[in-house]
Amino acid sequence: MRLLLSLFLGLFLFNCNAQNNITQTKTKTETVLNANPKLVVGIVVDQMRYDYLTRFYSKYGNGGFKRLINEGFNCKNNHYNYVPTYTGPGHASIFTGTSPKNHGIIANYWYDKFSKENVYCAGDSTVLAVGSDSKAERMSPHRMKTTTFADENRLFTQMRGKTIGISIKDRGAILPAGHSANAAYWFRGREEGHFITSTYYMNSLPKWVKDFNASKTAESYLKEWNTLYDIDTYTESGSDLNTFEGGFKGKDNATFPYDLAALKDKNKGFDIIKATPYGNSIVTDFAIEAITAEQLGKDNYTDVLTVSFSSPDYVGHNFGVNSKEVEDTYIRLDKDLERLFNALDKKVGVGAYTLFLTADHGAVDVPAFLQTAKIPSGYFDNDAFKNQLNTFLVKEFSASDLIENISNDQIFLNKNRLKQLDLDIGDVQYAIVNEIINYKHIDKVFSSETMQNANFTSGIKALLQNGYHQKRSGDVLIVKNPAVISYSRKGSTHGSGSNFDTHVPLLFYGNGIKRGSTLTKTEITDIAPTISALLGISFPNAATGNVLEFVLD
């Protein structure tokens, strides 16, 4: 009898424990599935090469870039998987999880084959500016053909999760926030110095934005720009006085210090702030105010804040990769990031938000500087190229009007003229490819037929194909030699498929993110699927990237 009773009690206790374990396991699983961050913050630094993390590392404090590196996950071998590497395509690709081949933002500006005009990636004639009377600020995301992860989060939360986009540049605010954003704000310089938006989002600025604009924060940054630390300690960059930098109108040399108040009238008023580290500072000020005023991360629905720091791009274009100005800009950006992170800790909560930081492209060293180091580089003469090509077309086809447009290293043919002359488009493309491959500074040339009929998986051909949109791209695609640019002899630019343009930082931090690093190659299109997987929401509707499972906790 005792034996039977013991067996009964044993089975009873086993079943209870088993049921309890099942309940605990189920509860634990449900907790993980529902432990979404209160806020996702997507940070893009405009024109940030990966080596800016390592080159200036000793100058950074512990609360900015180093906090993300040491407490988050560092993808050290992160690249763009397409060309052209420009701002518009970069921001769209980060947040849609796909390349221009699908989202359609093939450049900042491009030639529209149907309207026969150049169009801007964020331009929209059907809307008006809000907060400015300027006719140049009519902007929306309507040219972007796909959703962002912010759009998918809005749909998933029945529009309860907010999305706010902020940047100096309109495209840096608009494209990341997506189509369904509550707002996108950008900085209108010139004589105004205000953050504005468009009627795509609202008909009048919220009170907190009006109050920010009225606070004269922009005016406070019209001050002296000098190096944050002793300039002699800036050993990670070249000499301050050199022949490779542009500088500001009204100042003879591109050397520190810069009196912005004195220079503003000759440099488009408040626009001068954009080309200094203070452009990052005012974006940080505005982003912190947005977190408070919009109550981001304060309820049970995940919100999304996108912040694009555009000023490094303006500084890089003006002064070049190797300049003291670029070094100072990143040292000061590190301080602004620390301010932003501290505000997130205080207002949203430590461990309550997820954040990533990346860049929309890198940049090439000034070719004139590279030449002094005997590194192959140079400048492409667009006018000479057009004249040489036109001479060939007249000789070959007895016509001087076969080309409608040449832009973004693409040639657009005049289809109507080809039809009138009974010329086969494939034959003309083939003839141009075989002609211009012989021209100076041109490395490779491909026709649109090649892009459409082949499937490339590696190398520059794959990058071109991922950047090629059948309806929007040109008929012939040109690849220049590495470090050969169509630009002035002073300052830097970008746009190529070379590593200096494609290799950019990718740092994840916060809720749901492991600590660590990897040298495994990742691609910019992997960010949106990874954030979507973390949130448990649908991927952006054309996403082609992969979930970086090793990043997620």
Side-chain angles (χ1 to χ4, degrees):
M1 187 69 180
R2 287 181 176 178
L3 180 61
L4 289 172
L5 183 60
S6 296
L7 288 170
F8 174 78
L9 288 172
L11 287 170
F12 176 76
L13 291 172
F14 174 79
N15 287 333
C16 286
N17 286 332
Q19 182 64 40
N20 188 46
N21 288 336
I22 291 171
T23 303
Q24 289 179 348
T25 302
K26 183 178 180 182
T27 302
K28 183 178 181 182
T29 301
E30 288 179 349
T31 299
V32 171
L33 287 176
N34 292 299
N36 283 350
K38 297 283 190 179
L39 176 66
V40 173
V41 183
I43 298 175
V44 182
V45 183
D46 201 327
Q47 198 184 124
M48 184 174 185
R49 293 159 52 116
Y50 177 81
D51 65 353
Y52 289 167
L53 277 184
T54 55
R55 190 170 128 207
F56 305 137
Y57 188 83
S58 65
K59 295 295 193 297
Y60 295 145
N62 292 322
F65 288 116
K66 284 184 178 179
R67 178 176 176 180
L68 302 186
I69 293 170
N70 297 327
E71 299 179 30
F73 200 98
N74 183 4
C75 296
K76 299 179 179 181
N77 191 20
N78 183 63
H79 288 263
Y80 275 86
N81 64 344
Y82 66 84
V83 288
T85 41
Y86 294 143
T87 297
H91 283 77
S93 298
I94 292 165
F95 290 86
T96 64
T98 192
S99 67
K101 177 180 181 179
N102 296 307
H103 61 61
I105 304 299
I106 63 170
N108 295 333
Y109 296 84
W110 66 85
Y111 179 71
D112 188 302
K113 294 183 282 189
F114 301 95
S115 65
K116 310 297 184 186
E117 62 182 354
N118 287 314
V119 298
Y120 177 55
C121 63
D124 187 348
S125 61
T126 68
V127 302
L128 297 173
V130 173
S132 172
D133 293 329
S134 171
K135 298 295 189 290
E137 302 287 350
R138 304 170 72 172
M139 305 293 172
S140 87
H142 79 107
R143 296 193 193 280
M144 186 167 65
K145 301 172 77 70
T146 63
T147 62
T148 65
F149 76 76
D151 285 321
E152 297 300 334
N153 184 65
R154 291 274 285 159
L155 294 172
F156 183 83
T157 61
Q158 300 301 311
M159 301 297 171
R160 297 184 182 98
K162 285 186 177 180
T163 297
I164 306 291
I166 297 169
S167 181
I168 285 288
K169 293 181 180 178
D170 48 65
R171 57 186 180 271
I174 291 168
L175 298 176
H179 300 275
S180 60
N182 299 81
Y185 300 106
W186 58 95
F187 185 73
R188 169 69 181 172
R190 300 294 175 126
E191 70 286 352
E192 297 174 56
H194 291 162
F195 278 92
I196 67 170
T197 186
S198 80
T199 53
Y200 179 88
Y201 304 98
M202 62 192 74
N203 291 320
S204 63
L205 292 175
K207 182 178 183 301
W208 72 266
V209 178
K210 292 179 180 178
D211 289 345
F212 184 92
N213 288 336
S215 69
K216 298 188 182 299
T217 302
E219 283 90 336
S220 71
Y221 288 116
L222 291 172
K223 58 183 181 180
E224 183 181 83
W225 174 24
N226 207 342
T227 54
L228 185 63
Y229 305 129
D230 186 338
I231 196 169
D232 291 335
T233 68
Y234 284 30
T235 55
E236 297 79 14
S237 48
S239 61
D240 192 30
L241 179 62
N242 58 72
T243 60
F244 312 120
E245 301 174 5
F248 295 112
K249 293 179 180 178
K251 192 174 190 305
D252 293 337
N253 296 317
T255 56
F256 284 105
Y258 299 96
D259 185 344
L260 303 186
L263 294 170
K264 73 178 181 67
D265 289 341
K266 293 184 178 181
N267 293 274
K268 300 179 180 179
F270 284 103
D271 275 1
I272 196 171
I273 294 174
K274 299 178 181 180
T276 75
Y278 303 138
N280 296 329
S281 299
I282 197 171
V283 165
T284 305
D285 297 336
F286 192 78
I288 291 172
E289 189 63 28
I291 294 167
T292 301
E294 296 289 347
Q295 293 290 288
L296 298 180
K298 290 298 185 182
D299 58 26
N300 293 324
Y301 301 99
T302 300
D303 298 321
V304 175
L305 172 66
T306 73
V307 182
S308 178
F309 292 104
S310 305
S311 290
D313 186 67
Y314 289 107
V315 175
H317 277 294
N318 193 357
F319 297 98
V321 167
N322 201 45
S323 64
K324 302 288 190 192
E325 287 80 2
V326 161
E327 179 167 0
D328 191 67
T329 295
Y330 276 90
I331 291 171
R332 289 176 180 272
L333 174 59
D334 184 63
K335 301 295 185 185
D336 284 321
L337 289 174
E338 183 174 3
R339 281 203 298 131
L340 177 59
F341 300 162
N342 289 340
L344 288 166
D345 290 343
K346 181 179 179 180
K347 298 172 184 292
V348 182
V350 177
Y353 61 91
T354 302
L355 181 149
F356 68 83
L357 182 148
T358 188
D360 57 350
H361 52 74
V364 63
D365 264 297
V366 179
F369 163 71
L370 292 177
Q371 288 170 350
T372 66
K374 301 181 180 179
I375 294 174
S377 54
Y379 295 91
F380 190 80
D381 189 329
N382 287 312
D383 291 335
F385 168 76
K386 292 175 183 177
N387 291 334
Q388 190 173 359
L389 177 57
N390 189 61
T391 298
F392 164 76
L393 292 174
V394 170
K395 180 179 179 181
E396 187 75 8
F397 298 105
S398 301
S400 61
D401 53 356
L402 298 185
I403 294 175
E404 278 188 348
N405 181 270
I406 301 176
S407 55
N408 299 313
D409 289 333
Q410 298 183 18
I411 298 172
F412 294 80
L413 295 177
N414 185 335
K415 306 297 183 1
N416 291 331
R417 187 60 174 145
L418 294 180
K419 187 177 294 185
Q420 291 174 357
L421 297 173
D422 196 26
L423 291 172
D424 180 77
I425 187 170
D427 291 342
V428 176
Q429 288 180 2
Y430 184 75
I432 291 174
V433 167
N434 283 285
E435 167 67 13
I436 65 177
I437 191 61
N438 300 305
Y439 291 3
K440 184 180 180 181
H441 292 319
I442 291 182
D443 187 41
K444 296 176 178 65
V445 190
F446 302 97
S447 69
S448 62
E449 286 197 357
T450 299
M451 291 294 107
Q452 294 175 43
N453 296 325
N455 182 31
F456 303 112
T457 59
S458 63
I460 190 63
K461 293 179 182 178
L463 299 184
L464 286 168
Q465 196 164 58
N466 285 335
Y468 176 83
H469 190 278
Q470 186 176 4
K471 202 166 185 176
R472 293 181 174 177
S473 296
D475 297 289
V476 176
L477 284 64
I478 302 166
V479 179
K480 301 187 186 81
N481 288 334
V484 169
I485 61 175
S486 301
Y487 203 67
S488 69
R489 295 186 65 85
K490 295 185 177 183
S492 298
T493 193
H494 50 85
S496 77
S498 297
N499 285 326
F500 50 71
D501 280 336
T502 67
H503 189 195
V504 297
L506 176 54
L507 301 166
F508 290 93
Y509 173 86
N511 187 303
I513 303 299
K514 291 179 181 178
R515 292 188 181 189
S517 64
T518 184
L519 284 169
T520 299
K521 186 174 184 179
T522 58
E523 295 182 339
I524 209 72
T525 52
D526 297 333
I527 298 172
T530 301
I531 295 297
S532 297
L534 173 68
L535 298 180
I537 63 176
S538 294
F539 290 9
N541 59 20
T544 53
N546 298 310
V547 175
L548 301 179
E549 189 175 357
F550 49 81
V551 166
L552 302 178
D553 191 359

